[in-house]
Structures are given as C-alpha cells and as structure tokens.
Amino acid sequence: MKLMCPTGWPWPRCTAGNGAAALRPAMALSCTLRLRQRHPLSAVLSSLPGWDRSLPAQKKAAQGKGKGGEGRSLPRSSWDERLADAVTPLWRFPYQEQLQVKYESQKKILQTLASCLEELGIGTQHPGGLCCPLQPIVPSPVINGYRNKSTFSVNRGPDGNPKTVGLYVGTGKARNIVCVKANHMENIPLKHKRVAQCYEDFIRHSPLDSCLLFHKGGHWRELVVRTTSYGHTMAIITFHPQDLGQEALATQKSLLKEFFTCGPGAVCALTSLYFQESTMTRCSHEQAPFQLLHGEPHIFEEVLGLKFRISPDAFFQVNTAGAEALYQAVGELGQVGGDTILLDICCGTGAIGLSLARRVSKVIGIEVVEKAIEDARWNAAFNGISNSEFHSGKAEAVLPQLLSSWEDARPVVAVVNPSRAGLHYRVVRAIRNCRSIQRLLYISCKPEGEAMRNFTELCCPPDPGKKLLGDPFTPTLAIPFDMFPHTVHCELVLLLTR
C-alpha cells in the first residue's frame, strides 16, 4: 500500500488557545478529584513499607472506609481516578502527610537492613532498630508538574480505541491493560500532556495501526517527552517498521515532521523531534538510531549554575529542582576536598560529578549509554571543567579494570546511582577491594529492591570465596529526598564509610 501525503489536515488546526482548551476538562476533573474528601487508598498504602495505622492520615483512611470511602474504592472509581491511584497512590494526601508516609517507609527499609546485617553478625542497630541515623525527608521544591521526562504508551483506551495515548492501568500478566489519558495527572506538566494529545490526534488520523503486540503487526508505539527549564521540548516517537519499505517509512517521517512543524502539532513548539524505528521493547541509539526529523539534536538544562546537554536516551534526574538539592547533599556527605578523586558510577550526563568538579581534584565518570558520555564530555568542556574524564561501557566491565591497578594515594569518594536493577556484583566487588575508597554514597530510588542486596554485599564481613577481600563498609547516615511527589517513591542517599 502506497501512503500518500494528504492534501489537507483532516482535523482542525490547533492554536495555543485550542490546545489549552482541549486539556481544560481534564484539568477541571483533576481539581474536582482533589476537592473531594481526601480518602487515601488504604488497600494500596497498607502494603507499603512503613505503613502504620497509628499515623494521623492513616487513621483517617481507616475511618473513611464507610459510606463515602466505599464509593471511591478501585473497582468503582472513574478511569481517571484509577490511573491516578495506580501511578500516584499518594495524590489524595496533603503533601506533608505524603512526606510522613514516605519517612515511615524509609525507616522500615533501614530496619530491614539492620536485621540483615544482624544475621551476618554485624551489630549496627541505632535507636528505633535502624542500621544508621535517618534524617528528615527533604521535600521537593516543586510538587506538581515536576517531571522533566514522561513516557506515554499507545494501547486500547477505556472506550476500546487502540490509538489511545496515555498511561497503563492493569498489567500485561493479568491481561487487563487499559491505556488512560494522563491529562489529569498531577506529576506531569501541561506541556507533556499537550504533546501526548497532539500525538494521539496524529495517529488516529493515520491509516497505519498502532502496535499493541509486535507479532500482530501495527506500527505506532510509545512517545517520550522531555522538557527543560529553558523552555526546550524534545519528543521521541517509537515506530515498529514491520515490513514497510524505505519509501513508506520516509512518508511517515515526512508526515510527522509536517504535523509538528506546520500542522496542528505546531502548538507544541518542539525544539527536537526524533523518530526511532524499533523492533524491540527498549532500544539504545546503537541498536536503533534516533533519527532527528526536526530541530536541534539536543536540549539543554541548567543545574547549580552549570549548563547540561541532554541526548534522547541520556539519563537525567526526572525532578530538576529536586536534583539540585540532592547533588548539594552528595557533596556535603562525601566530605570532598581539594585532594579528593570523585568516582561517579552510572554518571549519566555527568551532572553529579561536574557539579562538584571545582571542589575536588579529579572527577571520573562511568556510564553505559555512549551518547550520555558524549554529553558528559561536552558538558565538561562547555562549562570550562578540565579535571574530569568519562568512560563509556558497562560499569561491571570498566570499573574493575580501572581499579585493579589503582595506585593513586589521593582519597577516593565513590557515588553510585544505578537503575532499579542495582549494581552488578563485579562492581560491588571492585568497590570493596579498592582500599582507597573510604566513603561511598549509594543513591537509590528503590532501596527495598536489588539495592538491598548491594547494601549487604558492601557491608558483610570479608568473604574470600566471593572475592570480597576489602574491609566492609558501615551504614553511617541516610537522607531521603522526595523526588517523586504523589508517588510512593523517594530517592534514598545512604552514606557508607570504612
């Protein structure tokens, strides 16, 4: 089938006013939901680490299960409420109560770690059964619309339309996925919602199907939107080529570009429009190159007075304002000085290391995403930072080689900020066996997950059988940062010393 470019847009042309108006009903609904009696989801929250019915908000939740609360239980909720409850389970809490729930959750995590270490014969318990002192949670400077990156899926909506752009309620395992528009979500900024709405308008008027299951055909897949405080907006559209030829692919790219530059999507004012042909669930640039259809190849952000370049798949903390507070704390906890070497593992675009570069002797960054390393090197050069070096590759391959012949007498402070999968065992072993590393800062958005295994490996007694020969670390201080308001997650910074 040859796809021809339409002679005119079959949908009304959007303007800035029209785009905002399209989102107004959902925004009004969001306000309505928040004005209702705040009834936390006890069924969801009771499973959280640290959930305690003695807390004031949780007492209210238990008491609110009567006539009013029952009507808002998950099965009877509107789809908008169900999505909000799935993605941002704490949205019904006033913010101070959200922080209280999260603090209790972090306490339970540190109690669990204390118990694990106790089983290994390491007595580290502090008051409250914690493995180390826990400081109060640092609140997010921005509570609503704080995300600088959002990923929208394409699937069947509540009305059955397979070209709905939004977020999922349900799971693939349970085969009950429904894609719900995210216009009412409080953690997503308006600009992201506008791009998602425009993308939905585009694919609904496309003759090509959405790709729900790879083996069943279809093409249109997820949308990623990234924004910065400079006002830059990057959109990345993932497309399954199936058996389309190059001419048909070129037509689709041309249509997308026309839509977002001079068609209804121009309301989004995109700085960058990328297109990725992918036959896998997740692809790096090396596996499936990001093709720039329009605009600039990068967007830019400022953190602590430094300018950072961001590529399509580069990691950057999702809450920019919260990241500034986090990075400042890392410098203080690390006690970095003029003779310190800062080892930034899983460094992304180099934000942590470069923000502290002028306070240390040298910064060494390691990151698996090659484009992020290119960004890190550019960021260092642009900001006039000459005491940094960045290595591309898997940390488990690069770090052991880097540290195996380490002879530098200067003190080393290591910072690790891995994904939820945690650190590879070879990375843990390399850190343990490098005697120059006396202070380690582990940053985790899911410390109760694989990070817990890393904590015990870093703190257990020497074990020649596992080649853990260096002295164990000791949990010294923990500080939670609320980088994700309305969700159950926060970023825990755990200082380990030896």
Side-chain angles (χ1 to χ4, degrees):
M1 177 178 64
K2 188 171 182 179
L3 302 174
M4 302 298 293
C5 183
T7 55
W9 298 108
W11 44 78
R13 182 174 295 273
C14 289
T15 64
N18 289 340
L23 294 173
R24 250 181 236 132
M27 293 169 66
L29 173 60
S30 175
C31 294
T32 303
L33 295 179
R34 291 193 67 80
L35 287 172
R36 291 183 181 181
Q37 176 187 351
R38 290 186 177 274
H39 168 62
L41 299 178
S42 55
V44 175
L45 296 179
S46 60
S47 64
L48 292 177
W51 175 257
D52 183 350
R53 287 191 178 276
S54 65
L55 291 175
Q58 294 156 2
K59 281 184 177 178
K60 290 177 191 174
Q63 293 166 358
K65 267 192 122 179
K67 186 176 179 182
E70 227 170 76
R72 285 183 294 279
S73 63
L74 191 61
R76 300 182 187 178
S77 298
S78 71
W79 283 107
D80 290 327
E81 285 180 288
R82 292 176 71 173
L83 179 61
D85 292 341
V87 179
T88 53
L90 300 182
W91 71 272
R92 300 170 189 262
F93 277 116
Y95 188 55
Q96 288 304 313
E97 292 184 13
Q98 292 187 31
L99 296 179
Q100 193 175 12
V101 170
K102 292 187 181 190
Y103 184 77
E104 293 299 315
S105 173
Q106 299 305 301
K107 278 177 63 177
K108 188 165 184 180
I109 289 166
L110 296 186
Q111 289 167 350
T112 300
L113 179 55
S115 298
C116 292
L117 297 179
E118 188 88 14
E119 291 176 7
L120 296 172
I122 304 170
T124 61
Q125 286 206 359
H126 289 257
L130 308 181
C131 64
C132 65
L134 176 65
Q135 288 196 359
I137 187 168
V138 178
S140 174
V142 180
I143 299 172
N144 294 325
Y146 57 85
R147 294 191 63 90
N148 57 40
K149 179 182 179 182
S150 299
T151 302
F152 299 95
S153 299
V154 177
N155 213 308
R156 289 187 178 85
D159 61 354
N161 193 317
K163 292 183 175 180
T164 300
V165 177
L167 306 178
Y168 283 165
V169 172
T171 64
K173 186 176 181 180
R175 297 184 179 181
N176 63 349
I177 285 179
V178 176
C179 192
V180 181
K181 291 188 181 184
N183 292 343
H184 61 292
M185 298 298 293
E186 296 187 345
N187 60 339
I188 298 177
L190 178 62
K191 188 172 283 189
H192 294 201
K193 298 170 183 176
R194 182 178 292 128
V195 178
Q197 182 61 58
C198 285
Y199 179 51
E200 180 179 283
D201 290 345
F202 176 84
I203 66 174
R204 286 191 174 188
H205 289 87
S206 168
L208 300 183
D209 293 334
S210 55
C211 179
L212 309 186
L213 295 171
F214 291 178
H215 66 280
K216 291 192 174 181
H219 302 275
W220 299 113
R221 294 179 55 200
E222 71 180 25
L223 162 75
V224 175
V225 184
R226 306 187 76 154
T227 50
T228 71
S229 60
Y230 283 114
H232 299 167
T233 303
M234 176 185 288
I236 307 153
I237 290 167
T238 307
F239 183 91
H240 197 305
Q242 302 292 357
D243 56 356
L244 288 183
Q246 288 304 309
E247 184 180 352
L249 285 169
T251 297
Q252 293 311 307
K253 288 185 274 190
S254 176
L255 288 171
L256 266 175
K257 178 180 178 180
E258 183 179 352
F259 177 85
F260 278 106
T261 55
C262 55
V267 65
C268 301
L270 296 183
T271 309
S272 311
L273 174 61
Y274 275 97
F275 183 85
Q276 187 185 38
E277 299 168 28
S278 172
T279 59
M280 295 180 279
T281 304
R282 286 284 184 276
C283 283
S284 66
H285 173 77
E286 290 70 34
Q287 294 168 314
F290 293 97
Q291 304 171 47
L292 182 65
L293 302 187
H294 163 73
E296 303 298 323
H298 307 95
I299 55 176
F300 296 86
E301 185 56 281
E302 184 171 318
V303 176
L304 297 176
L306 299 179
K307 188 173 183 178
F308 290 91
R309 187 179 86 172
I310 302 172
S311 293
D313 59 345
F315 171 77
F316 202 85
Q317 282 286 353
V318 76
N319 182 335
T320 305
E324 292 194 322
L326 176 67
Y327 299 163
Q328 287 175 320
V330 166
E332 298 302 321
L333 290 172
Q335 295 183 1
V336 297
D339 62 342
T340 303
I341 294 178
L342 182 65
L343 187 57
D344 190 358
I345 303 166
C346 312
C347 67
T349 58
I352 293 178
L354 294 178
S355 67
L356 300 172
R358 292 190 171 93
R359 297 166 56 181
V360 301
S361 175
K362 187 176 184 179
V363 172
I364 301 175
I366 301 171
E367 169 61 43
V368 67
V369 178
E370 191 173 327
K371 285 292 181 182
I373 286 294
E374 291 179 16
D375 289 343
R377 290 169 180 158
W378 185 94
N379 294 335
F382 182 85
N383 290 288
I385 296 170
S386 57
N387 62 334
S388 63
E389 62 181 57
F390 294 95
H391 300 265
S392 174
K394 292 183 178 180
E396 59 267 28
V398 176
L399 188 66
Q401 184 178 355
L402 186 69
L403 297 181
S404 62
S405 58
W406 191 268
E407 295 179 354
D408 200 308
R410 289 173 291 182
V412 178
V413 173
V415 179
V416 297
N417 187 13
S419 66
R420 293 186 179 186
L423 293 174
H424 192 281
Y425 177 73
R426 290 205 296 269
V427 176
V428 173
R429 189 171 63 194
I431 292 171
R432 272 288 298 259
N433 296 343
C434 180
R435 302 184 190 281
S436 297
I437 301 176
Q438 297 295 306
R439 298 179 79 83
L440 169 65
L441 287 138
Y442 196 120
I443 304 171
S444 175
C445 63
K446 194 177 181 183
E448 72 277 14
E450 289 301 309
M452 188 66 69
R453 170 180 54 83
N454 291 160
F455 298 155
T456 56
E457 291 167 345
L458 289 163
C459 299
C460 69
D463 186 341
K466 295 182 178 179
K467 298 182 180 180
L468 295 173
L469 306 178
D471 293 336
F473 286 89
T474 300
T476 305
L477 184 67
I479 307 179
F481 288 78
D482 186 23
M483 304 286 281
F484 319 101
H486 309 303
T487 77
V488 298
H489 305 291
C490 62
E491 204 87 41
L492 181 69
V493 179
L494 182 63
L495 171 64
L496 300 150
T497 60
R498 60 178 177 179

